[in-house]
């Protein structure tokens, strides 16, 4: 079973919205998972953190560049992670990845295959 599968990417104009989803396997969304996150990577750039959410407490964290525009959420029953993206900008164009981090680990070690988001001016 593929641990993480993203969907919802697409081509939109600046100012529009998209919602990304990440369907997680039972193992990826288990009680040993501490945090779930979204990262993105634009062409010729390093992968960067976008947002994260604690699996148990729901506490969230965001990159400064998306504060007030993006909202991360999860549905534990459906084992799904979401990223609501509003007021999109051309600079948000990237491949978006979801990832999970286990308790006791310092890095996100399980990754999805990514979904492309393209924002035109």
């Amino acid at each position: 079973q593929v641990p993480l599968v993203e969907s919802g990417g697409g081509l939109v104009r600046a100012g529009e919205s998209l919602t990304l989803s990440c369907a997680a396997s039972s193992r990826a969304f288990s009680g040993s998972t501490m945090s779930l996150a979204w990262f993105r990577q634009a062409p010729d750039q390093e992968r960067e953190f976008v947002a994260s959410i604690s699996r148990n407490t729901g506490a969230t964290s965001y990159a400064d560049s998306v504060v007030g525009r993006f909202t991360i959420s999860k549905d534990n029953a459906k084992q799904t992670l979401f990223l609501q993206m509003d007021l999109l900008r051309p600079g948000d164009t990237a491949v978006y990845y979801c990832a999970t981090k286990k308790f006791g680990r310092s890095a996100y070690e399980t990754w999805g295959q990514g979904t492309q988001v393209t924002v035109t001016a």
Side-chain angles (χ1 to χ4, degrees):
Q1 187 180 13
V2 178
L4 298 169
V5 179
E6 302 94 335
S7 62
L11 173 65
V12 297
R13 294 183 177 182
E16 294 183 341
S17 299
L18 275 177
T19 300
L20 305 183
S21 299
C22 174
S25 67
S26 296
R27 182 174 183 178
F29 214 90
S30 71
S32 64
T33 296
M34 179 176 71
S35 177
L36 304 98
W38 289 97
F39 290 78
R40 66 186 182 186
Q41 187 168 19
D44 300 321
Q45 294 188 23
E46 296 290 321
R47 185 166 55 194
E48 65 174 0
F49 169 81
V50 175
S52 67
I53 186 167
S54 167
R55 182 195 179 279
N56 293 339
T57 69
T60 59
S61 179
Y62 295 92
D64 290 344
S65 60
V66 305
V67 169
R69 300 188 300 123
F70 290 11
T71 303
I72 188 171
S73 63
K74 60 182 176 63
D75 185 327
N76 285 6
K78 295 182 178 180
Q79 298 177 170
T80 303
L81 178 70
F82 302 99
L83 185 68
Q84 174 68 38
M85 305 186 294
D86 298 318
L87 301 174
L88 283 162
R89 305 167 179 168
D92 296 319
T93 295
V95 177
Y96 284 71
Y97 300 88
C98 62
T100 62
K101 179 167 62 177
K102 297 294 187 181
F103 283 99
R105 309 296 291 180
S106 60
Y108 288 87
E109 297 179 328
T110 301
W111 295 83
Q113 83 290 349
T115 186
Q116 177 71 47
V117 172
T118 303
V119 185
T120 61

